[in-house]
Coordinates of all heavy atoms in Angstrom, one line a residue:
M33 N 67.1 107.3 93.8 CA 67.9 107.8 95.0 C 69.0 108.7 94.4 O 69.7 108.4 93.5 CB 68.4 106.6 95.7 CG 69.1 107.0 97.0 SD 70.0 105.6 97.8 CE 68.8 104.3 97.7
T34 N 69.2 109.9 95.1 CA 70.3 110.7 94.7 C 71.5 110.4 95.6 O 71.4 110.4 96.9 CB 69.9 112.2 94.9 OG1 68.7 112.4 94.1 CG2 71.0 113.1 94.4
L35 N 72.6 110.2 95.0 CA 73.8 109.9 95.7 C 74.7 111.1 95.7 O 74.8 111.8 94.7 CB 74.5 108.6 95.1 CG 73.7 107.3 95.3 CD1 74.4 106.2 94.5 CD2 73.5 107.0 96.7
P36 N 75.7 111.2 96.7 CA 75.7 110.4 97.9 C 74.6 110.7 98.9 O 74.0 111.8 98.9 CB 77.1 110.8 98.5 CG 77.2 112.3 98.0 CD 76.6 112.3 96.7
V37 N 74.3 109.8 99.8 CA 73.3 109.9 100.8 C 74.0 110.4 102.1 O 75.0 109.7 102.5 CB 72.6 108.6 101.0 CG1 71.6 108.7 102.2 CG2 71.9 108.1 99.8
G38 N 73.6 111.4 102.6 CA 74.2 111.9 103.9 C 73.8 111.0 105.0 O 72.7 110.5 105.0
V39 N 74.7 110.6 105.9 CA 74.4 109.7 106.9 C 74.1 110.4 108.2 O 73.1 110.1 108.9 CB 75.6 108.8 107.1 CG1 75.4 107.8 108.3 CG2 75.9 108.0 105.9
Q40 N 74.8 111.5 108.5 CA 74.6 112.3 109.6 C 75.2 113.6 109.4 O 76.1 113.8 108.7 CB 75.1 111.7 110.9 CG 76.7 111.5 110.9 CD 77.2 110.8 112.1 OE1 76.5 110.0 112.7 NE2 78.4 111.2 112.5
K41 N 74.7 114.7 110.1 CA 75.2 116.1 109.9 C 76.3 116.4 110.9 O 76.3 117.5 111.5 CB 74.0 117.1 110.0 CG 73.1 117.0 108.8 CD 72.1 118.1 108.8 CE 71.2 118.0 107.6 NZ 70.1 119.1 107.6
S42 N 77.2 115.5 111.0 CA 78.4 115.7 111.9 C 79.4 114.6 111.5 O 79.1 113.6 110.9 CB 78.0 115.5 113.4 OG 77.3 114.2 113.6
P43 N 80.6 114.9 111.9 CA 81.7 113.9 111.5 C 81.7 112.7 112.4 O 81.1 112.7 113.5 CB 83.0 114.7 111.7 CG 82.6 115.8 112.7 CD 81.2 116.1 112.5
F44 N 82.3 111.6 112.0 CA 82.6 110.5 112.8 C 84.0 110.7 113.4 O 85.0 110.8 112.6 CB 82.6 109.2 112.0 CG 81.3 108.7 111.4 CD1 80.8 109.2 110.2 CD2 80.5 107.9 112.2 CE1 79.5 108.8 109.8 CE2 79.2 107.5 111.7 CZ 78.7 107.9 110.5
A45 N 84.1 110.7 114.7 CA 85.4 110.8 115.3 C 85.9 109.3 115.5 O 85.2 108.6 116.2 CB 85.4 111.5 116.6
V46 N 87.0 108.9 114.8 CA 87.4 107.5 114.9 C 88.9 107.4 115.1 O 89.7 108.2 114.5 CB 87.1 106.8 113.5 CG1 85.6 106.4 113.5 CG2 87.4 107.5 112.3
E47 N 89.3 106.5 116.0 CA 90.6 106.3 116.3 C 91.1 105.2 115.3 O 90.5 104.1 115.3 CB 90.8 105.9 117.7 CG 92.4 105.7 118.1 CD 92.5 105.4 119.6 OE1 92.1 106.2 120.4 OE2 93.1 104.4 119.9
L48 N 92.0 105.5 114.5 CA 92.4 104.6 113.4 C 93.9 104.1 113.6 O 94.7 104.8 114.0 CB 92.2 105.3 112.1 CG 90.8 105.7 111.7 CD1 90.8 106.6 110.5 CD2 90.0 104.5 111.4
E49 N 94.1 102.9 113.1 CA 95.4 102.3 113.1 C 96.2 102.8 111.9 O 95.6 103.3 110.9 CB 95.3 100.8 113.1 CG 94.6 100.1 114.2 CD 95.3 100.3 115.5 OE1 96.6 100.5 115.6 OE2 94.7 100.3 116.6
A50 N 97.5 102.8 111.9 CA 98.3 103.1 110.9 C 97.9 102.1 109.6 O 97.5 101.0 109.9 CB 99.8 102.9 111.2
G51 N 98.0 102.7 108.5 CA 97.7 101.8 107.3 C 96.7 102.5 106.4 O 96.4 103.6 106.5
D52 N 96.1 101.7 105.5 CA 95.1 102.1 104.5 C 93.7 101.9 105.1 O 93.4 101.0 105.7 CB 95.2 101.2 103.3 CG 96.5 101.4 102.5 OD1 97.2 102.4 102.8 OD2 96.9 100.5 101.8
H53 N 92.9 103.0 104.7 CA 91.5 103.0 105.1 C 90.7 103.5 103.9 O 91.2 104.2 103.1 CB 91.3 103.9 106.3 CG 92.2 103.6 107.5 ND1 91.8 102.6 108.3 CD2 93.4 104.1 107.9 CE1 92.7 102.5 109.3 NE2 93.7 103.4 109.0
Y54 N 89.4 103.0 103.9 CA 88.5 103.4 102.8 C 87.3 104.0 103.3 O 86.4 103.3 103.9 CB 88.2 102.1 102.0 CG 89.4 101.6 101.3 CD1 90.3 100.7 102.0 CD2 89.8 102.0 100.0 CE1 91.4 100.2 101.4 CE2 90.9 101.4 99.4 CZ 91.7 100.5 100.1 OH 92.8 100.1 99.5
W55 N 87.1 105.3 103.1 CA 86.0 106.1 103.5 C 84.8 105.9 102.6 O 85.0 106.0 101.3 CB 86.4 107.6 103.6 CG 85.2 108.5 103.9 CD1 84.7 108.8 105.2 CD2 84.6 109.5 103.1 NE1 83.7 109.7 105.0 CE2 83.7 110.2 103.7 CE3 84.8 109.7 101.7 CZ2 82.9 111.2 103.2 CZ3 84.0 110.7 101.1 CH2 83.0 111.4 101.9
C56 N 83.6 105.6 103.1 CA 82.5 105.5 102.2 C 82.1 106.9 101.7 O 81.7 107.8 102.5 CB 81.3 104.9 103.0 SG 79.7 105.0 102.1
A57 N 82.0 107.1 100.4 CA 81.7 108.3 99.8 C 80.2 108.3 99.3 O 79.6 109.4 99.1 CB 82.5 108.5 98.5
C58 N 79.6 107.2 99.3 CA 78.3 107.1 98.8 C 77.2 107.2 99.8 O 76.0 107.6 99.5 CB 78.0 105.8 98.0 SG 78.0 104.3 99.0
G59 N 77.5 106.8 101.1 CA 76.5 106.9 102.2 C 75.7 105.6 102.4 O 74.9 105.5 103.3
L60 N 76.0 104.6 101.5 CA 75.1 103.4 101.6 C 75.7 102.3 102.5 O 75.0 101.4 102.8 CB 75.0 102.8 100.2 CG 74.3 103.7 99.1 CD1 74.3 103.0 97.8 CD2 72.9 104.1 99.6
S61 N 76.9 102.4 102.8 CA 77.6 101.4 103.7 C 76.9 101.3 105.0 O 76.4 102.3 105.6 CB 79.0 101.8 104.0 OG 79.6 100.9 104.9
R62 N 76.8 100.1 105.5 CA 76.3 99.8 106.9 C 77.4 99.8 107.9 O 77.2 99.5 109.1 CB 75.6 98.4 106.8 CG 74.3 98.4 106.0 CD 73.6 97.1 106.1 NE 72.5 97.1 105.2 CZ 71.8 96.0 104.8 NH1 72.1 94.9 105.3 NH2 70.8 96.1 104.0
K63 N 78.6 100.0 107.4 CA 79.8 100.1 108.3 C 80.4 101.5 108.4 O 81.5 101.7 108.3 CB 80.8 99.1 107.9 CG 80.3 97.6 108.1 CD 81.4 96.7 107.8 CE 81.0 95.2 108.0 NZ 81.9 94.3 107.4
Q64 N 79.5 102.5 108.4 CA 79.9 103.9 108.4 C 81.0 104.2 109.5 O 80.9 103.7 110.6 CB 78.7 104.8 108.6 CG 77.8 104.8 107.5 CD 78.3 105.3 106.2 OE1 79.3 106.2 106.2 NE2 77.9 104.8 105.1
P65 N 82.0 105.0 109.2 CA 82.1 105.8 107.9 C 82.9 105.1 106.9 O 83.4 105.7 106.0 CB 82.8 107.0 108.5 CG 83.7 106.5 109.5 CD 82.9 105.4 110.2
F66 N 83.0 103.7 107.0 CA 83.9 103.0 106.1 C 83.1 102.3 105.0 O 81.9 101.9 105.2 CB 84.7 102.1 106.8 CG 85.5 102.8 107.9 CD1 85.2 102.6 109.2 CD2 86.6 103.5 107.6 CE1 85.8 103.3 110.2 CE2 87.3 104.3 108.6 CZ 86.9 104.1 109.9
C67 N 83.8 102.1 103.8 CA 83.2 101.4 102.7 C 83.0 99.9 103.0 O 83.8 99.3 103.6 CB 84.0 101.5 101.5 SG 83.6 100.6 100.1
D68 N 81.8 99.4 102.7 CA 81.6 97.9 102.9 C 81.2 97.3 101.5 O 80.7 96.2 101.5 CB 80.4 97.6 103.9 CG 79.1 98.0 103.4 OD1 79.0 98.6 102.4 OD2 78.1 97.7 104.1
G69 N 81.4 98.1 100.4 CA 81.2 97.5 99.1 C 79.7 97.8 98.6 O 79.4 97.4 97.4
S70 N 79.0 98.5 99.4 CA 77.6 98.7 99.0 C 77.5 99.8 97.8 O 76.4 99.9 97.3 CB 76.8 99.3 100.2 OG 76.7 98.4 101.2
H71 N 78.6 100.4 97.5 CA 78.5 101.3 96.3 C 78.5 100.6 95.0 O 78.3 101.2 93.9 CB 79.8 102.2 96.3 CG 81.0 101.4 96.2 ND1 81.8 100.9 97.3 CD2 81.7 101.0 95.1 CE1 82.8 100.3 96.8 NE2 82.8 100.3 95.5
A72 N 78.6 99.3 95.0 CA 78.5 98.5 93.8 C 77.2 98.9 92.9 O 76.1 98.9 93.5 CB 78.5 97.0 94.1
G73 N 77.4 99.2 91.7 CA 76.3 99.5 90.8 C 76.1 101.0 90.7 O 75.3 101.4 89.9
T74 N 76.8 101.8 91.6 CA 76.8 103.3 91.4 C 78.0 103.7 90.8 O 78.9 102.9 90.5 CB 76.7 103.9 92.9 OG1 78.0 103.8 93.5 CG2 75.7 103.2 93.8
D75 N 78.1 105.0 90.5 CA 79.3 105.5 89.9 C 80.3 106.1 91.0 O 81.2 106.9 90.7 CB 79.1 106.5 88.8 CG 78.3 107.7 89.3 OD1 78.0 107.8 90.4 OD2 78.0 108.5 88.4
I76 N 80.0 105.8 92.2 CA 80.8 106.3 93.3 C 81.7 105.3 93.9 O 81.4 104.1 94.0 CB 79.9 106.8 94.4 CG1 79.0 108.0 94.0 CG2 80.6 107.2 95.7 CD1 78.0 108.6 94.9
T77 N 83.0 105.7 94.2 CA 83.9 104.7 94.7 C 84.4 105.3 96.0 O 84.4 106.5 96.3 CB 85.1 104.6 93.8 OG1 85.6 105.9 93.3 CG2 84.7 103.8 92.5
P78 N 84.9 104.5 96.9 CA 85.4 104.9 98.2 C 86.7 105.8 98.1 O 87.4 105.7 97.0 CB 85.7 103.6 99.0 CG 85.9 102.6 97.9 CD 85.0 103.0 96.7
V79 N 87.0 106.5 99.1 CA 88.2 107.4 99.1 C 89.2 106.7 100.0 O 88.9 106.5 101.2 CB 87.9 108.8 99.6 CG1 89.2 109.6 99.8 CG2 86.9 109.5 98.7
K80 N 90.3 106.3 99.4 CA 91.4 105.7 100.1 C 92.2 106.7 100.8 O 92.6 107.7 100.1 CB 92.2 104.8 99.2 CG 93.4 104.1 99.9 CD 94.3 103.3 98.9 CE 95.5 102.7 99.6 NZ 96.4 102.1 98.5
F81 N 92.6 106.5 102.0 CA 93.6 107.3 102.7 C 94.5 106.5 103.5 O 94.1 105.4 104.0 CB 93.0 108.5 103.5 CG 92.1 108.0 104.6 CD1 92.6 108.1 105.9 CD2 90.8 107.6 104.4 CE1 91.8 107.8 107.0 CE2 90.0 107.2 105.5 CZ 90.5 107.3 106.8
T82 N 95.7 107.0 103.8 CA 96.7 106.2 104.5 C 97.3 107.0 105.7 O 97.6 108.1 105.5 CB 97.9 105.8 103.6 OG1 97.3 105.1 102.3 CG2 98.9 104.9 104.2
L83 N 97.3 106.3 106.8 CA 97.9 107.0 108.0 C 99.2 106.3 108.3 O 99.4 105.1 108.2 CB 97.0 106.8 109.1 CG 95.6 107.4 109.0 CD1 94.7 107.1 110.3 CD2 95.7 108.9 108.7
A84 N 100.2 107.2 108.7 CA 101.5 106.6 109.1 C 101.6 106.1 110.4 O 102.4 105.4 110.8 CB 102.5 107.8 108.8
E85 N 100.7 106.6 111.3 CA 100.6 106.2 112.6 C 99.2 106.2 113.2 O 98.3 106.8 112.6 CB 101.5 107.1 113.5 CG 101.1 108.5 113.4 CD 102.2 109.4 114.1 OE1 103.4 109.1 114.1 OE2 101.7 110.5 114.5
K86 N 99.0 105.6 114.4 CA 97.7 105.6 115.0 C 97.3 106.9 115.3 O 98.0 107.7 115.8 CB 97.8 104.8 116.2 CG 96.4 104.5 116.9 CD 96.6 103.5 118.0 CE 95.3 103.1 118.7 NZ 95.5 102.1 119.7
E87 N 96.0 107.3 114.9 CA 95.6 108.7 115.0 C 94.1 108.8 115.0 O 93.3 107.9 114.5 CB 96.0 109.3 113.7 CG 96.3 110.8 113.8 CD 96.9 111.4 112.6 OE1 97.5 110.7 111.8 OE2 96.6 112.6 112.2
T88 N 93.5 109.8 115.7 CA 92.1 110.1 115.7 C 91.8 111.1 114.5 O 92.4 112.1 114.4 CB 91.7 110.7 117.1 OG1 91.9 109.7 118.1 CG2 90.2 111.1 117.0
K89 N 90.8 110.7 113.7 CA 90.4 111.5 112.6 C 89.0 111.8 112.7 O 88.2 111.0 113.2 CB 90.7 110.8 111.3 CG 92.3 110.6 111.0 CD 92.8 112.0 110.7 CE 94.2 111.9 110.2 NZ 94.8 113.2 110.0
Y90 N 88.6 112.9 112.1 CA 87.1 113.3 112.0 C 86.7 113.0 110.5 O 87.0 113.9 109.7 CB 86.9 114.7 112.4 CG 87.2 114.8 113.9 CD1 88.6 115.0 114.4 CD2 86.3 114.6 114.9 CE1 88.9 115.0 115.7 CE2 86.5 114.7 116.2 CZ 87.9 114.9 116.7 OH 88.1 114.9 118.0
L91 N 86.0 112.0 110.3 CA 85.6 111.6 108.9 C 84.3 112.1 108.7 O 83.3 112.0 109.5 CB 85.7 110.1 108.7 CG 87.1 109.5 109.0 CD1 87.0 108.0 108.7 CD2 88.1 110.1 108.1
C92 N 84.0 112.7 107.5 CA 82.7 113.3 107.0 C 81.6 112.4 107.1 O 81.7 111.3 106.5 CB 82.9 113.9 105.7 SG 81.4 114.6 105.0
G93 N 80.6 112.7 107.8 CA 79.3 111.8 107.9 C 78.2 112.4 107.0 O 77.3 111.7 106.7
C94 N 78.3 113.7 106.5 CA 77.2 114.2 105.7 C 77.6 113.9 104.2 O 76.6 114.0 103.4 CB 77.2 115.7 105.9 SG 78.6 116.7 105.2
K95 N 78.8 113.5 103.9 CA 79.2 113.2 102.6 C 79.2 114.3 101.6 O 79.3 114.2 100.4 CB 78.3 112.0 101.9 CG 78.1 110.8 102.9 CD 79.4 110.1 103.3 CE 79.2 108.9 104.1 NZ 80.4 108.4 104.7
A96 N 79.2 115.5 102.1 CA 79.2 116.7 101.3 C 80.5 117.6 101.5 O 80.7 118.6 100.9 CB 78.1 117.6 101.6
T97 N 81.4 117.0 102.2 CA 82.7 117.7 102.4 C 83.4 118.0 101.1 O 83.3 117.2 100.1 CB 83.7 116.9 103.3 OG1 84.9 117.6 103.4 CG2 83.9 115.5 102.7
N98 N 84.2 119.1 101.0 CA 85.1 119.3 99.9 C 86.4 118.9 100.1 O 87.4 119.3 99.3 CB 85.0 120.8 99.6 CG 83.6 121.2 99.1 OD1 83.1 120.7 98.1 ND2 83.0 122.2 99.7
N99 N 86.7 118.2 101.2 CA 88.0 117.7 101.6 C 87.9 116.3 102.1 O 88.4 115.9 103.1 CB 88.6 118.6 102.7 CG 90.0 118.2 103.0 OD1 90.8 117.9 102.2 ND2 90.5 118.3 104.3
A100 N 87.3 115.4 101.2 CA 87.1 114.0 101.6 C 88.4 113.3 101.7 O 89.4 113.6 101.0 CB 86.3 113.3 100.4
P101 N 88.5 112.5 102.8 CA 87.4 111.9 103.5 C 87.1 112.7 104.8 O 86.3 112.2 105.7 CB 87.9 110.6 103.9 CG 89.4 110.7 104.1 CD 89.8 111.8 103.0
F102 N 87.8 113.9 105.0 CA 87.7 114.6 106.3 C 86.6 115.6 106.3 O 86.3 116.2 105.3 CB 89.0 115.2 106.5 CG 90.1 114.2 106.4 CD1 91.1 114.3 105.4 CD2 90.3 113.2 107.4 CE1 92.1 113.4 105.3 CE2 91.3 112.2 107.2 CZ 92.2 112.4 106.2
C103 N 86.1 115.8 107.5 CA 85.1 116.9 107.7 C 85.7 118.2 107.5 O 86.8 118.5 108.0 CB 84.5 116.8 109.1 SG 83.5 118.1 109.6
D104 N 85.1 119.1 106.7 CA 85.5 120.4 106.5 C 84.6 121.5 107.0 O 84.7 122.7 106.7 CB 85.9 120.7 105.0 CG 84.7 120.8 104.2 OD1 83.6 120.5 104.6 OD2 84.9 121.1 103.0
G105 N 83.6 121.1 107.7 CA 82.6 122.0 108.2 C 81.4 122.2 107.4 O 80.4 122.9 107.8
T106 N 81.4 121.7 106.2 CA 80.3 121.9 105.3 C 79.0 121.4 105.9 O 77.9 122.0 105.5 CB 80.5 121.1 103.9 OG1 81.7 121.6 103.3 CG2 79.4 121.2 103.0
H107 N 79.0 120.4 106.7 CA 77.8 119.9 107.4 C 76.9 121.0 108.0 O 75.7 120.9 108.2 CB 78.1 118.7 108.3 CG 78.9 119.2 109.5 ND1 80.2 119.1 109.6 CD2 78.5 119.7 110.7 CE1 80.7 119.6 110.7 NE2 79.6 120.0 111.4
S108 N 77.6 122.0 108.5 CA 76.9 123.1 109.2 C 76.1 124.0 108.3 O 75.2 124.7 108.8 CB 77.9 124.0 110.0 OG 78.7 124.6 109.1
K109 N 76.2 123.9 107.0 CA 75.5 124.7 106.0 C 74.3 123.8 105.4 O 73.6 124.3 104.5 CB 76.4 125.0 104.9 CG 77.5 126.0 105.4 CD 78.5 126.3 104.3 CE 79.9 126.9 104.9 NZ 80.9 126.6 103.9
L110 N 74.2 122.6 105.7 CA 73.2 121.7 105.2 C 71.9 121.9 105.8 O 71.7 122.3 107.0 CB 73.6 120.2 105.3 CG 75.0 119.9 104.6 CD1 75.3 118.4 104.8 CD2 74.9 120.2 103.1
Ligands
FES3 FE1 79.9 103.7 100.1 FE2 81.7 101.9 99.2 S1 79.9 101.5 100.4 S2 81.7 104.0 98.9
FES4 FE1 80.5 116.3 106.4 FE2 81.4 117.7 108.5 S1 80.4 115.9 108.4 S2 81.6 118.2 106.3

């Protein structure tokens, strides 16, 4: 299997609480778009990001973004 695995060719729009969050970079998590530990055994690790306040974010679902964990539009070229 080639990692990362794209989950969908569009971002996940998620309303997030303030604090730390861990975006799944490998595509294997069953709790997309967040890490659930399924990357164990791969050389991929989740991307941690921190929000100062409650906010809606667009997290990359294709896993090909160049601005992880956020969608940068790369999915439209896949
Ligand atoms: Fe994908 Fe952790 S499950 S980075
Ligand atoms: Fe990955 Fe938009 S969903 S760049």
Side-chain angles (χ1 to χ4, degrees):
M33 189 191 310
T34 304
L35 294 175
V37 179
V39 176
Q40 61 182 32
K41 289 186 180 178
S42 58
F44 289 90
V46 282
E47 186 173 301
L48 297 169
E49 300 294 333
D52 295 339
H53 303 279
Y54 294 84
W55 174 75
C56 169
C58 70
L60 300 177
S61 172
R62 292 184 186 166
K63 293 184 178 171
Q64 294 295 331
F66 305 105
C67 176
D68 71 352
S70 296
H71 62 271
T74 76
D75 59 1
I76 296 179
T77 52
V79 175
K80 178 185 175 185
F81 63 102
T82 305
L83 298 180
E85 56 190 31
K86 187 173 182 173
E87 209 175 330
T88 296
K89 290 290 188 186
Y90 294 85
L91 301 181
C92 174
C94 72
K95 311 301 181 184
T97 179
N98 293 304
N99 186 34
F102 308 109
C103 172
D104 72 350
T106 298
H107 64 266
S108 64
K109 299 175 197 150
L110 300 178

